[in-house]
Amino acid sequence: MVPSIFVQQTIDQLLDDPEARSLRDTTFVVVDLETTGGSPDDCGITEIGAVKTLGGEELGEFGTLVNPDQPVPPYVAVLTGITTAMLAPAPRLPEVLPAFLEFAKGAVWVAHNAPYDVGFLKAACARFGYPWPHPKVLDTAALARRALTKDEVPNRKLATLAGYFRTRVPSHRALDDARATVDVLHGLFARLAGHKVFTLGDAIEFARAVSPVQRSKRHLAEGLPDVPGVYVFRAPDNRPLYVGTSRSIATRVKSYFTAAEKRARISEMLTAASRVEAIECAHSLEAEVRELRLIAAHKPPYNRRSKFPERVHWLRLTAEAYPRLSVVRQLGGDAATEAGSYLGPFASTKAAELAAAAVYDAVPLRQCTHKLSTRTPRPACALAELGRCPAPCEHRISVEEYQEVAAQPFRTATRGDLGPLVEALLSRIDGFAADRRYEEAGVLRGRLGALLRATIRMQRLRSLTVIAQLIAARPATRGGWELAVVRHGRLVAAGTSAPRVHPQPTIDALLASAETVRPGPGPTPCASAEESERVLAWLEQPDARLVEMSEGWSLPAVGAGRFRDLLTKVERAATHPYVHHHVTDRSSVH
């Protein structure tokens, strides 16, 4: 026997959620309007007809002519038989509308081509100051498009559907058409049972443009938990096809089977999927990190982002008497790495080369790839003739002077003060702009943006990843605390403490089971840059609390972060290339 408390909870749920009710237990008001043919803003309604029905039984009817305070166009009068003279004694819409709203109160509205009729009624409420009731709406035309094939009906006109279901015949009069729509609705409900559509929510979703694949695979979303976590669509051979994350796994996965999901690649993925795996997480940060790691590990074919975190590039200052910039794929663990002789990570070679071009425009680093000797000179290249290189190949500059004017500014910029490089680039941009060489100024502005983005990002990452251990907390939605243990920028443990309970026992348990990491070179020694940035974003929320840190968390006082506003201006200018933007801002350079 089912416990009575369970029955009562089920009834309460149905009462609270109209979409959970069966179609048989739902009250519908089927409405049809005749109008002057204008737009809804004119509210040219000439007749309202409505029928209330429940469980196949008609409970009542509402029908009246309406004086629209405007003449009826001749073609409308021929179609409907309603003339301007007929409407002269009829009540006006402000008198009729309250009565209709009361008749339809609490019911689901149904209409054939519902956006048209509902649009007129909504505009009328707005025009005459009546609150819009925000009803649930079913469109019989949309239902017919989904439930009936073209072999069965050539079109979805009301008269065609009435003939197909052998119902009452519409006549272009509101109440007659509403009665015919009631019969068509019941005929469609009989067809929906074959599509396993039994509730109002199912019917509303069915009426939307849901593909057959989405409809056939909708069962994959059943039984998933309503918690933060990661979901994995898997193929029959258990291969991950797509990995995603959400604060509610159940809600997010269900959205893949609705009309809102229109991506072709997702439709293809759903065709291949056989099940959905849910991985519950303590909170959103753990879910985001797990998603990144799963994508990186399995390279799901239908994920586009974060698949290859190992494919990064760096700008490295070579260890030579006359150093130059080199694009490399990995960082070594030598002293040069820790001395600020690199910049990155970059997602592509192109991005790294763009930042390198900015450095070349700001300081006289050599661009050739020759191995230069401090004893034997060699002929200079064209850049020396153009004054773009101090010609260390010909020994025109000493090793010490080259280090001071060319190499050291780059090292200083990556670890601390980017100001001298920014000042040099802004001066060149000003010069091009003064000479009306706007295209060249735009190119230099793009290089400046690449340098700013890379330097700001690297210094921000390093500020976190140098910390051997950090414990942080944020208030949980349902009480208690979301907890995270971070080591060198890598999330090594995550949990949630119970409400009204001190979180220290939970923290102790997390520390006991936390992952051990060994730091390496660079600003992302133990995790991908994207993972460390997700951790940073979580920590920087206003409600985050730092519980414990092994060392201080800081950024250079004259670091690249002070150029954020300048970067915003540069990026805004890049999105409007045909508008001259003044990006020179030296207020934070000095």
Side-chain angles (χ1 to χ4, degrees):
M1 180 179 294
V2 179
S4 59
I5 186 171
F6 176 79
V7 173
Q8 185 60 47
Q9 288 175 345
T10 304
I11 294 174
D12 292 343
Q13 180 183 6
L14 294 175
L15 291 174
D16 292 340
D17 184 6
E19 292 193 13
R21 293 178 187 153
S22 70
L23 296 174
R24 177 175 293 277
D25 296 327
T26 301
T27 302
F28 298 97
V29 166
V30 183
V31 61
D32 185 82
L33 305 180
E34 301 300 331
T35 70
T36 58
S39 69
D41 294 335
D42 299 327
C43 299
I45 298 174
T46 59
E47 189 175 28
I48 300 178
V51 179
K52 184 179 292 186
T53 177
L54 170 65
E57 179 183 353
E58 295 182 10
L59 305 180
E61 293 183 341
F62 180 96
T64 180
L65 292 170
V66 181
N67 186 342
D69 288 323
Q70 55 184 281
V72 178
Y75 73 91
V76 175
V78 171
L79 179 67
T80 65
I82 299 174
T83 65
T84 303
M86 289 173 58
L87 299 178
R92 288 172 170 76
L93 191 55
E95 303 170 50
V96 173
L97 191 58
F100 169 76
L101 293 175
E102 183 63 30
F103 178 78
K105 185 177 180 180
V108 175
W109 293 14
V110 180
H112 198 73
N113 292 320
Y116 181 83
D117 298 277
V118 174
F120 266 89
L121 291 169
K122 187 174 183 179
C125 286
R127 181 177 179 182
F128 298 113
Y130 292 101
W132 179 242
H134 297 283
K136 301 287 184 182
V137 178
L138 265 183
D139 185 349
T140 50
L143 284 174
R145 279 192 290 271
R146 307 300 300 168
L148 302 175
T149 67
K150 290 187 176 180
D151 293 336
E152 294 174 298
V153 288
N155 56 61
R156 275 68 176 181
K157 294 180 180 178
L158 181 59
T160 303
L161 297 175
Y164 176 77
F165 288 114
R166 298 181 181 180
T167 68
R168 287 173 282 188
V169 179
S171 64
H172 292 295
R173 292 298 299 268
L175 192 54
D176 287 345
D177 289 4
R179 291 166 179 162
T181 304
V182 169
D183 296 340
V184 168
L185 178 69
H186 292 156
L188 289 170
F189 281 172
R191 294 294 296 265
L192 294 184
H195 295 278
K196 298 183 179 180
V197 174
F198 301 107
T199 68
L200 174 62
D202 291 340
I204 292 174
E205 192 59 48
F206 182 85
R208 296 170 179 166
V210 178
S211 70
V213 171
Q214 289 174 307
R215 193 174 300 114
S216 65
K217 295 295 183 76
R218 188 176 294 171
H219 65 277
L220 299 181
E222 296 175 358
L224 296 176
D226 184 19
V227 295
V230 178
Y231 53 90
V232 184
F233 283 87
R234 292 189 178 271
D237 61 0
N238 214 35
R239 288 181 301 112
L241 298 172
Y242 184 84
V243 178
T245 183
S246 175
R247 291 181 178 275
S248 169
I249 297 175
T251 301
R252 183 67 185 100
V253 173
K254 286 178 182 178
S255 71
Y256 287 92
F257 304 95
T258 67
E261 180 53 73
K262 300 182 184 298
R263 292 172 291 179
R265 64 187 179 88
I266 295 300
S267 178
E268 182 180 322
M269 182 273 293
L270 293 176
T271 303
S274 64
R275 69 184 183 93
V276 179
E277 176 187 358
I279 303 172
E280 298 185 26
C281 297
H283 45 70
S284 60
L285 175 61
E286 184 188 8
E288 291 176 10
V289 169
R290 283 185 178 272
E291 177 197 32
L292 290 174
R293 294 179 186 175
L294 285 169
I295 292 173
H298 299 289
K299 310 290 190 291
Y302 294 96
N303 281 95
R304 288 183 174 175
R305 298 181 179 178
S306 309
K307 289 172 70 171
F308 303 102
E310 69 278 5
R311 294 183 183 178
V312 295
H313 301 76
W314 302 84
L315 272 183
R316 185 182 180 98
L317 198 63
T318 58
E320 303 176 70
Y322 297 106
R324 59 183 177 83
L325 290 179
S326 175
V327 179
V328 297
R329 297 294 298 270
Q330 290 183 337
L331 293 176
D334 54 18
T337 301
E338 297 303 320
S341 298
Y342 61 88
L343 178 63
F346 296 92
S348 66
T349 304
K350 183 178 179 180
E353 290 175 343
L354 193 62
V359 177
Y360 292 140
D361 286 324
V363 295
L365 274 173
R366 69 183 181 97
Q367 301 182 38
C368 63
T369 58
H370 301 298
K371 186 174 181 179
L372 302 184
S373 170
T374 57
R375 296 182 179 181
T376 306
R378 60 179 299 151
C381 62
L383 289 175
E385 299 295 331
L386 295 173
R388 298 290 307 278
C389 178
C393 49
E394 292 187 342
H395 297 175
R396 298 184 194 175
I397 185 171
S398 67
V399 172
E400 293 76 14
E401 187 180 0
Y402 182 87
Q403 290 285 343
E404 181 180 351
V405 302
Q408 193 56 42
F410 175 79
R411 294 191 183 98
T412 302
T414 59
R415 284 300 189 92
D417 190 6
L418 184 62
L421 272 65
V422 173
E423 174 68 30
L425 290 168
L426 291 178
S427 295
R428 293 199 64 191
I429 292 172
D430 282 348
F432 285 138
D435 295 338
R436 297 187 178 182
R437 296 161 64 182
Y438 298 124
E439 289 187 5
E440 293 169 271
V443 170
L444 202 58
R445 186 175 58 216
R447 295 173 180 175
L448 171 62
L451 179 62
L452 287 173
R453 272 190 297 274
T455 312
I456 292 171
R457 184 190 191 203
M458 190 176 79
Q459 291 185 7
R460 185 166 173 265
L461 285 169
R462 173 167 283 280
S463 72
L464 174 67
T465 59
V466 296
I467 302 174
Q469 179 169 288
L470 179 150
I471 303 171
R474 289 181 60 191
T477 304
R478 299 177 180 177
W481 292 90
E482 297 178 354
L483 301 167
V485 180
V486 180
R487 291 173 178 168
H488 296 290
R490 181 181 181 87
L491 181 68
V492 295
T496 304
S497 66
R500 296 180 296 278
V501 175
H502 197 284
Q504 189 60 50
T506 306
I507 293 174
D508 293 339
L510 292 177
L511 290 174
S513 61
E515 178 185 358
T516 300
V517 297
R518 293 183 179 277
T524 56
C526 300
S528 67
E530 194 168 358
E531 176 177 331
S532 294
E533 285 175 321
R534 299 288 179 92
V535 172
L536 271 170
W538 191 84
L539 293 172
E540 290 172 345
Q541 294 300 310
D543 58 356
R545 302 290 184 268
L546 297 178
V547 179
E548 178 184 311
M549 288 193 296
S550 58
E551 45 259 296
W553 184 6
S554 63
L555 283 163
V558 292
R562 72 187 198 274
F563 294 109
R564 285 182 179 275
D565 290 343
L566 177 59
L567 177 59
T568 300
K569 292 180 181 179
V570 169
E571 291 176 336
R572 188 182 301 123
T575 61
H576 301 84
Y578 299 105
V579 180
H580 178 61
H581 291 264
H582 185 69
V583 299
T584 302
D585 181 7
R586 292 177 172 77
S587 60
S588 56
V589 173
H590 302 291

